[in-house]
Amino acid sequence: MDVGRSCGLVSVIIPTFNRREWLAETVKPVLDDPHTGEVVVVVDGCRDGSLELLQEWSRQQPRLRAIFQENAGDAAARQRGVEEARFDIVVVLDDDIVPSPGLIGGHARHHAQGGRHLVLGYMPVQLPEPRQPGQAAAMLYSRAYEKQCRRYAEDPDSILNTFWMGNISLSRSSALEVGFSTKLSIRRHSDMVFGIRCREAGLDAIFDRSLLALHSHNRSLKKFAADSRNSGEARAKLMKEYPEFEPYINPFAQLPWLERMAIYVLGSSVMCPACTQLAMAGSFRAGRMRVWGVETLSARILQQIEIYHGFREAQRSL
């Protein structure tokens, strides 16, 4: 099935869920790249018209392939896409990024000489200007991501310990060997599992800022809180599965002592419900008043409380 590296073409895998209105922003720049041999979009069980849109588009664009699967999560959708891929190199993109010109060719060049490489591109958050109320979650995500990228640049060996999916490439054979799916019941951080598996499989990780794609990150406060709780739950399960990676997985390992103590108190069973509501209300009202510092700080407190709550509850059940 695989086509050799010498042809310079790659398979681009894009899992998608409920993103019909924005799919063109991700798919069209990929199709415009001459190194794209095919685009495999895996529709993960959503029925928002994404499949029909892609099928109609593929009639005019034979390199575009739409595949439907019942909802199984983004990791399973990536796995399905890799299994269906026809080229030896796979570029795996999230459906909420806007690829820059030359992104696919840049990934392809990293693999032209062979080797077992996992290449990670750069996907900064696309923040609207001027700032609007309700963007605290995106601001926090952007800060955390940029901090992570600085760490990748300073210490390439850290890439696979704290891996972020969304703009990556590797050989199809390596992807199949490592596998994107996980038997762990987690709703976040399947990318972290993938990074650990790649390390165990002996892949070399490369971070390349020139492989640019803008990330359209957008979360309501309620969704942000739910994601944070799921993150804490997933990290507790990952620590049990991969205890040797605890310093990278533990969400509180790098926090100052005083901040950790405050989170433990605010996230306790007694305090958590009231503190969560207060932090959410505080962020919402501060945003409406355009007091950006308070909006972001309140969202940060909400995030840490929910991470701790999910982490603690998962540890108790394990």
Side-chain angles (χ1 to χ4, degrees):
M1 177 182 289
D2 294 345
V3 177
R5 289 181 174 90
S6 60
C7 68
L9 299 179
V10 305
S11 294
V12 181
I13 313 300
I14 304 174
T16 188
F17 181 79
N18 282 346
R19 292 276 302 177
R20 182 188 185 280
E21 295 181 21
W22 299 277
L23 272 175
E25 293 184 356
T26 301
V27 175
K28 188 178 184 303
V30 173
L31 287 170
D32 289 342
D33 195 300
H35 288 84
T36 299
E38 65 174 353
V39 183
V40 182
V41 183
V42 182
V43 180
D44 186 35
C46 63
R47 291 172 170 80
D48 65 339
S50 293
L51 181 63
E52 292 77 9
L53 171 70
L54 292 164
Q55 288 174 334
E56 179 63 29
W57 194 354
S58 67
R59 293 188 180 97
Q60 287 79 43
Q61 179 50 264
R63 288 182 300 154
L64 177 61
R65 300 168 58 203
I67 297 172
F68 181 85
Q69 68 173 24
E70 293 299 335
N71 182 248
D74 54 1
R78 293 184 186 106
Q79 182 69 24
R80 176 70 182 280
V82 170
E83 290 170 358
E84 296 282 348
R86 296 168 176 164
F87 291 85
D88 186 49
I89 301 301
V90 293
V91 177
V92 185
L93 304 178
D94 283 351
D95 67 347
D96 58 354
I97 66 169
V98 180
S100 63
L103 173 67
I104 306 305
H107 274 289
R109 282 189 289 276
H110 272 288
H111 300 281
Q113 302 304 317
R116 288 167 54 83
H117 305 306
L118 174 63
V119 180
L120 177 64
Y122 180 48
M123 48 179 196
V125 177
Q126 192 173 20
L127 296 171
E129 292 289 348
R131 179 170 170 173
Q132 298 297 318
Q135 293 174 351
M139 294 295 298
L140 289 170
Y141 185 93
S142 177
R143 291 176 185 176
Y145 178 73
E146 294 298 338
K147 180 179 180 180
Q148 195 70 20
C149 289
R150 289 192 295 271
R151 185 177 302 157
Y152 290 161
E154 294 167 3
D155 180 17
D157 193 54
S158 70
I159 295 173
L160 295 179
N161 297 333
T162 52
F163 191 68
W164 287 39
M165 199 75 71
N167 177 10
I168 71 166
S169 63
L170 69 166
S171 71
R172 180 176 180 271
S173 59
S174 293
L176 291 173
E177 175 189 346
V178 174
F180 285 95
S181 298
T182 173
K183 295 180 180 178
L184 289 175
S185 177
I186 54 176
R187 287 172 282 188
R188 295 290 305 279
H189 302 310
S190 62
D191 48 357
M192 192 176 292
V193 176
F194 185 74
I196 292 172
R197 286 179 176 173
C198 285
R199 177 174 288 283
E200 293 175 340
L203 270 68
D204 297 321
I206 300 169
F207 174 58
D208 187 345
R209 279 184 180 270
S210 72
L211 303 179
L212 175 66
L214 298 178
H215 188 184
S216 303
H217 184 278
N218 185 27
R219 296 288 188 279
S220 67
L221 274 177
K222 186 174 290 188
K223 181 66 165 60
F224 178 61
D227 283 349
S228 299
R229 184 171 297 201
N230 290 336
S231 173
E233 177 187 320
R235 285 175 179 272
K237 293 179 179 179
L238 289 174
M239 278 174 51
K240 181 176 176 62
E241 184 74 12
Y242 302 101
E244 66 274 26
F245 289 91
E246 179 177 350
Y248 308 102
I249 297 171
N250 189 326
F252 311 108
Q254 305 301 320
L255 295 181
W257 177 84
L258 189 59
E259 187 174 347
R260 286 203 308 271
M261 292 302 102
I263 292 167
Y264 295 163
V265 172
L266 297 177
S268 66
S269 299
V270 174
M271 299 287 289
C272 181
C275 290
T276 295
Q277 291 301 316
L278 285 172
M280 188 174 292
S283 184
F284 177 77
R285 291 172 183 171
R288 293 288 295 273
M289 297 171 65
R290 286 174 164 71
V291 184
W292 306 131
V294 176
E295 181 192 30
T296 304
L297 176 61
S298 298
R300 166 71 174 167
I301 293 170
L302 172 67
Q303 178 188 40
Q304 293 300 315
I305 291 173
E306 290 290 3
I307 288 175
Y308 178 64
H309 184 76
F311 186 79
R312 177 172 52 83
E313 291 299 310
Q315 282 192 319
R316 287 176 176 175
S317 66
L318 292 173

